[in-house]
Amino acid sequence: MAKLKGVFARVRLPIFSVKHPETFQVMSCLPIPQPSTLVGALAYCIGAHHGSGVKAFYRLKEVIERNEVKLIARAKLMGITIISPLVLRRFRIADEFHKRMQFYDILSRGDYYEGKIFLERALIDAFYRSYAMSHEILCAWIIDGKFEISDSMFYLLQRLGDTESLITVCEVWLEDVEINEAPEIRTSFPFPLGNATIRGGNFAIMKMCDEKRLVKQFVIPIKHEFRPTDIGKVMIIEPTEVEVVFPYSTIYCETSHGAIILPEVGGAHG
């Protein structure tokens, strides 16, 4: 069958935060980046590499929506992860124009004490944000041959998720992956639930945005477990593999890190 190109990036990160599609800001975060986040990451790499900036995102969004290019973006954990909230304290000077002008006016009068009080009351806020604390994740982009891409551009990636989610891309490689079909597939990568049945393995079902920013229920192969520590029990998340059964033969590709289900690539069942 036809061949596709797979781009894989091993990403090292202390923390990252990608919000659930239906939550306010990032009060609750996903355990892995969702497909739409990975599309944004790819657009950033293209824009930074070619100097086209945000235009790369709009162009990529357009070709995906028109089905001009086949693109499947997936990520999976590579080790133990925990979800924990942090308190962020932010200065809002850049995005509060009128308050910023008031602040400058106070400082111009030399009233620094009043300026300090105004800054703390009107231009600083604090809130909880949920973060996934991990060591490494694996990001994968499965792309057809029409899309020109190089592994070097992915080393330009700086963030996955919110502003504070700084990352380091440790390794990038390309693979030629062959498309296959089967009604039963074992995978460690997330995929849309659809009418699939999970025969075995631990998993969670969560809403995520797909490559076209459509909210769907995804199966995420992970296991939640409480483990004892010196200060009590801590809930951890571990990557797993699931056995999936479909009512029809479903398209997937086999990679060096396992099968990735490609329901949107070719075929009548996508």
Side-chain angles (χ1 to χ4, degrees):
M1 300 186 69
K3 285 190 175 183
L4 298 175
K5 184 188 301 179
V7 185
F8 297 84
R10 187 168 58 86
V11 175
R12 185 161 296 172
L13 64 174
I15 59 173
F16 72 96
S17 191
V18 176
K19 83 179 192 75
H20 284 271
E22 297 176 339
T23 61
F24 175 70
Q25 291 196 0
V26 198
M27 293 294 289
S28 178
C29 80
L30 295 166
I32 56 172
Q34 56 192 347
S36 61
T37 300
L38 297 174
V39 170
L42 174 60
Y44 173 83
C45 294
I46 296 171
H49 183 74
H50 295 294
S52 54
V54 73
K55 292 180 181 178
F57 170 74
Y58 294 115
R59 173 57 182 156
L60 183 60
K61 181 175 180 286
E62 181 182 1
V63 298
I64 291 174
E65 289 177 349
R66 292 182 178 180
N67 294 316
E68 293 179 21
V69 234
K70 301 296 190 296
L71 171 62
I72 302 295
R74 299 288 184 263
K76 71 172 184 177
L77 301 178
M78 296 187 72
I80 292 175
T81 298
I82 63 170
I83 305 292
S84 180
L86 296 177
V87 177
L88 294 183
R89 190 167 181 262
R90 306 183 299 177
F91 289 93
R92 304 302 300 272
I93 295 177
D95 55 353
E96 295 282 356
F97 176 77
H98 295 292
K99 291 180 181 179
R100 185 170 77 243
M101 292 300 102
Q102 289 179 258
F103 178 58
Y104 292 161
D105 182 60
I106 295 171
L107 294 181
S108 68
R109 299 197 303 266
D111 195 342
Y112 298 113
Y113 178 76
E114 183 184 347
K116 177 178 181 295
I117 299 300
F118 184 86
L119 177 66
E120 293 179 348
R121 289 181 177 176
L123 289 171
I124 294 178
D125 66 2
F127 60 96
Y128 282 101
R129 177 167 284 175
S130 183
Y131 282 90
M133 300 182 178
S134 184
H135 179 59
E136 287 184 351
I137 59 173
L138 181 68
C139 301
W141 295 265
I142 306 300
I143 309 168
D144 68 17
K146 301 176 186 176
F147 202 87
E148 293 185 7
I149 208 161
S150 66
D151 55 351
S152 60
M153 68 172 59
F154 287 87
Y155 288 101
L156 299 171
L157 191 59
Q158 300 178 17
R159 292 177 174 84
L160 270 178
D162 74 317
T163 308
E164 292 79 24
S165 300
L166 295 172
I167 64 161
T168 300
V169 178
C170 299
E171 183 183 7
V172 182
W173 68 95
L174 277 64
E175 298 180 10
D176 288 328
V177 293
E178 187 172 336
I179 300 177
N180 296 300
E181 290 189 28
E184 300 181 14
I185 304 168
R186 295 187 66 88
T187 183
S188 56
F189 286 92
F191 60 92
L193 174 61
N195 51 10
T197 301
I198 312 301
R199 176 178 289 174
N202 292 282
F203 64 94
I205 297 178
M206 297 184 181
K207 288 183 179 180
M208 295 199 298
C209 292
D210 69 4
E211 292 79 2
K212 296 182 179 181
R213 293 192 62 81
L214 300 176
V215 178
K216 295 181 179 179
Q217 285 189 315
F218 275 76
V219 175
I220 306 177
I222 52 175
K223 177 175 69 173
H224 292 81
E225 180 182 330
F226 284 96
R227 289 192 181 177
T229 67
D230 293 338
I231 58 173
K233 290 186 176 180
V234 176
M235 188 185 74
I236 66 165
I237 302 173
E238 286 187 297
T240 63
E241 186 178 70
V242 295
E243 184 178 355
V244 195
V245 179
F246 293 93
Y248 45 75
S249 190
T250 296
I251 299 168
Y252 72 98
C253 66
E254 196 66 47
T255 75
S256 59
H257 280 266
I260 298 178
I261 296 172
L262 309 175
E264 300 178 23
V265 179
H269 310 299

